[in-house]
Amino acid sequence: MVGKYGAKTYVNKFIAQGRSNIVLLSLKTMKILHFLAIFLLCGVISSHAKTHHQTYVVTDTPYSRLCSNKSILTVNGKFPGPTIRVTEGDTIAIVVVNRAKENITIHWHGVKQPRYPWSDGPEYITQCPIRPGTNFSQKIVLSDEIGTMWWHAHSDWSRATVHGALIVYPRIKDDYPFPVPDEEVPIIIGEWWKSDIFAVLNEFLANGGGPNSSDAYMLNGQPGDLYPCSKKDTFKLTVEHGKRYLIRMVNAVMDNIMFFRIAGHNVTIVGSDGAYLKPFTSNYIAISPGQTIDFLFVADQNPSHYYMASRAYAVAGAFSNTTTTARVEYAGNYTPPASPELPILPNFTDTAASVNFTARFRSLAYKNHPINVPLDVTTNLLFTLSINTRNCPNSDCEGPNGNRLLASVNNITWQSPGIAILQAYYESVNGVYEDNFPSNPPFPFNYTAAVVPQDLWEPQNGTRVRMLDFNATVELVFQGTSTARSPLDHPMHLHGHSFYVVGWGYGNFNSTRDPPNYNLIDPPLQNTIAVPRAGWTAIRFVANNPGVWLMHCHFERHISWGMEMTFITRNGKGPNDKMLPPPSDFPMC
């Protein structure tokens, strides 16, 4: 990992390698190119669009939870951070001011950033970190996203406290494909460690095992009634009988899919990941880290107090087996119960409850809400997702058999470079990455066997990217594995794109048997999808966004272990098919 602990400056190294002329030339031209970038960006935004100007000041801020105090990273002193509300096609201009002691970057999760990866945010992928005492002006360009998304830190484990909701409204007020809500409420599921989050990170990276589990989950920054020293600050939602509420939910938890339920009430799911869904009714929700879900509920029960509650779905690794709560309190005159009704949530090992919930997602695919599922695939990819191990000296690590835990995509554990991939690509700096990421696993085996031989557990290190031609139609099959005795779900997130989830199943993907069963009529459009444990998921997207785009598991421990890779989409031939130049204050390494 790089960042607060272990971040390295490679300027001298590059000078020694004779690359300083390239970097110096880019610095002289950046300001001119920045004005051109702003001009061209305006050309891709419809005339109605507005630009929203904000300043995000990152500071170390004292906070109290669970009877103890500590300092956490915050934006503008808030935890969770500010909610941004904009309209389809708008642009957000944010100056990020780092007044903290740690490096920081900000990622705009689910925003495609057409032709402008410079503000996407992942550390050492699209930018070097915003160092203490420096600023970075980010331009967030919205296109067809609508509904709920979010923003979060993308450096080390800073996103544990640096995150907030991003709400995108339709161009026409209340032009929803579902009943217009009376009110809307963002709810962010988070978690809290009593320990310093960077100490948690450093400890498990040093000992080779897994991270310590958190001490509490939270709803809108509060643990709730079931945790010590928390009851007086429990989040409360006051509702009026008969009214309809739109809940905009974000899972900002670091390492767990979460179950959520409101006692006594059903909910109607209407959207996810910045896109609408065909409405369906459920009495619970399963939501992956990184994912957003929009749902309606009607206050149609007897006036009283009801708990909303959330706890983890977790089949492996340490996790907090606790429940966070908030209160739904009906307005009016009545005698409230001594304790609200607590909902019954699925068991924490209930894989079917997690997978079957997401399997119900369908795009609207109506005439007034059309979709465009790629049919003629030009690029087929099969990526294995594995937990791995590597020998430790004296077998003194805390992973299986005294080895170090790692993770990989196609058996390649990502090694973070010394400068951003995007900077190296744009400046044609050689030696930073290789462009030969494999399209298929390096060696086939029975990926989901009950027992995978231990000699298949060890990965290779690499900083390897997959090049995509502009407008390539990509089918990517994520294949889970059972290496290291760890068949796990993996919530995979792709930057710079949304994708259609066209199929999924348990066991090993079969290229002959499975594609005929794809849903090519109304598959959901998402940017984060949980690949089921010991199973596979197939997605399709068009590589029509030139730039450098990270793809990774959104379990934070897995990305720390190396489960990530990077796509580079080449420029197209047309003037509007090329990546735009960087801003003048782009953070350099």
Side-chain angles (χ1 to χ4, degrees), residues 113-355:
Q113 300 277 27
R115 303 168 56 209
Y116 198 71
W118 306 100
S119 289
D120 189 47
E123 185 179 50
Y124 293 102
I125 303 295
T126 61
Q127 69 172 84
C128 292
I130 307 168
R131 301 189 184 281
T134 65
N135 304 343
F136 179 35
S137 301
Q138 291 190 277
K139 183 178 288 291
I140 298 90
V141 183
L142 296 161
S143 53
D144 61 353
E145 304 90 351
I146 192 164
T148 305
M149 293 176 292
W150 65 306
W151 58 267
H152 60 81
H154 215 302
S155 50
D156 292 331
W157 275 35
S158 302
R159 80 167 179 87
T161 56
V162 178
H163 57 251
L166 169 59
I167 299 172
V168 183
Y169 295 102
R171 291 185 176 93
I172 301 173
K173 181 178 172 59
D174 293 337
D175 185 24
Y176 298 116
F178 50 80
V180 176
D182 295 292
E183 293 183 31
E184 65 171 40
V185 182
I187 293 181
I188 297 178
I189 309 176
E191 60 187 321
W192 185 267
W193 279 261
K194 290 183 179 179
S195 300
D196 178 81
I197 193 65
F198 295 104
V200 174
L201 169 66
N202 285 331
E203 181 180 14
F204 84 85
L205 290 181
N207 65 33
N212 292 329
S213 59
S214 62
D215 295 291
Y217 298 113
M218 297 184 292
L219 293 172
N220 282 352
Q222 297 296 337
D225 291 358
L226 306 185
Y227 294 95
C229 303
S230 302
K231 191 168 185 177
K232 68 182 181 63
D233 295 314
T234 295
F235 174 70
K236 298 176 179 64
L237 174 60
T238 301
V239 300
E240 295 184 33
H241 193 275
K243 286 192 173 182
R244 180 179 290 107
Y245 297 83
L246 173 60
I247 305 299
R248 299 182 177 275
M249 179 162 284
V250 177
N251 184 356
V253 167
M254 301 293 274
D255 280 315
N256 290 112
I257 296 171
M258 299 296 291
F259 291 125
F260 173 89
R261 189 173 180 182
I262 304 175
H265 297 74
N266 288 333
V267 298
T268 301
I269 288 78
V270 295
S272 178
D273 282 5
Y276 293 131
L277 294 173
K278 283 187 171 74
F280 68 92
T281 300
S282 177
N283 62 9
Y284 75 97
I285 280 171
I287 183 169
S288 298
Q291 189 180 23
T292 65
I293 294 180
D294 294 338
F295 61 91
L296 299 169
F297 88 94
V298 178
D300 56 2
Q301 298 301 298
N302 292 329
S304 187
H305 291 183
Y306 299 84
Y307 274 131
M308 58 176 83
S310 183
R311 75 177 180 192
Y313 157 63
V315 295
F319 72 100
S320 177
N321 188 13
T322 59
T323 301
T324 179
T325 58
R327 290 171 174 249
V328 175
E329 299 184 350
Y330 279 69
N333 295 318
Y334 59 90
T335 301
S339 179
E341 178 184 348
L342 189 67
I344 299 174
L345 290 159
N347 188 276
F348 69 88
T349 61
D350 194 341
T351 296
S354 174
V355 174

Side-chain angles (χ1 to χ4, degrees), residues 442-582:
F443 42 85
F445 60 96
N446 184 359
Y447 305 117
T448 57
V451 178
V452 174
Q454 193 168 339
D455 59 357
L456 299 177
W457 294 8
E458 184 161 350
Q460 296 179 342
N461 292 340
T463 308
R464 299 164 68 178
V465 308
R466 181 58 162 84
M467 306 298 296
L468 296 174
D469 290 332
F470 183 79
N471 265 344
T473 301
V474 181
E475 177 174 309
L476 168 55
V477 177
F478 296 114
Q479 175 67 63
T481 75
S482 298
T483 53
R485 298 189 294 272
S486 296
L488 300 174
D489 305 79
H490 295 288
M492 299 304 295
H493 172 51
L494 176 60
H495 292 222
H497 304 76
S498 291
F499 49 75
Y500 290 99
V501 182
V502 297
W504 69 275
Y506 294 111
N508 298 332
F509 174 76
N510 185 300
S511 60
T512 301
R513 179 193 64 217
D514 292 321
N517 297 318
Y518 283 174
N519 174 14
L520 302 177
I521 304 301
D522 59 355
L525 184 66
Q526 298 188 251
N527 59 62
T528 305
I529 182 63
V531 180
R533 65 189 303 256
W536 59 270
T537 298
I539 67 171
R540 287 185 180 181
F541 65 94
V542 177
N544 56 5
N545 193 5
V548 174
W549 307 109
L550 178 65
M551 189 199 74
H552 63 95
C553 181
H554 225 281
F555 285 156
E556 210 67 18
R557 69 184 187 276
H558 291 181
I559 192 172
S560 297
W561 289 336
M563 190 178 286
E564 58 181 297
M565 58 80 62
T566 298
F567 288 107
I568 297 181
T569 300
R570 297 183 175 95
N571 285 331
K573 295 181 179 179
N576 294 324
D577 300 334
K578 301 181 188 301
M579 189 172 67
L580 295 168

Side-chain angles (χ1 to χ4, degrees), residues 11-23:
V11 173
N12 292 335
K13 174 182 174 182
F14 289 131
I15 292 175
Q17 292 173 339
R19 296 172 183 151
S20 59
N21 290 338
I22 296 175
V23 177

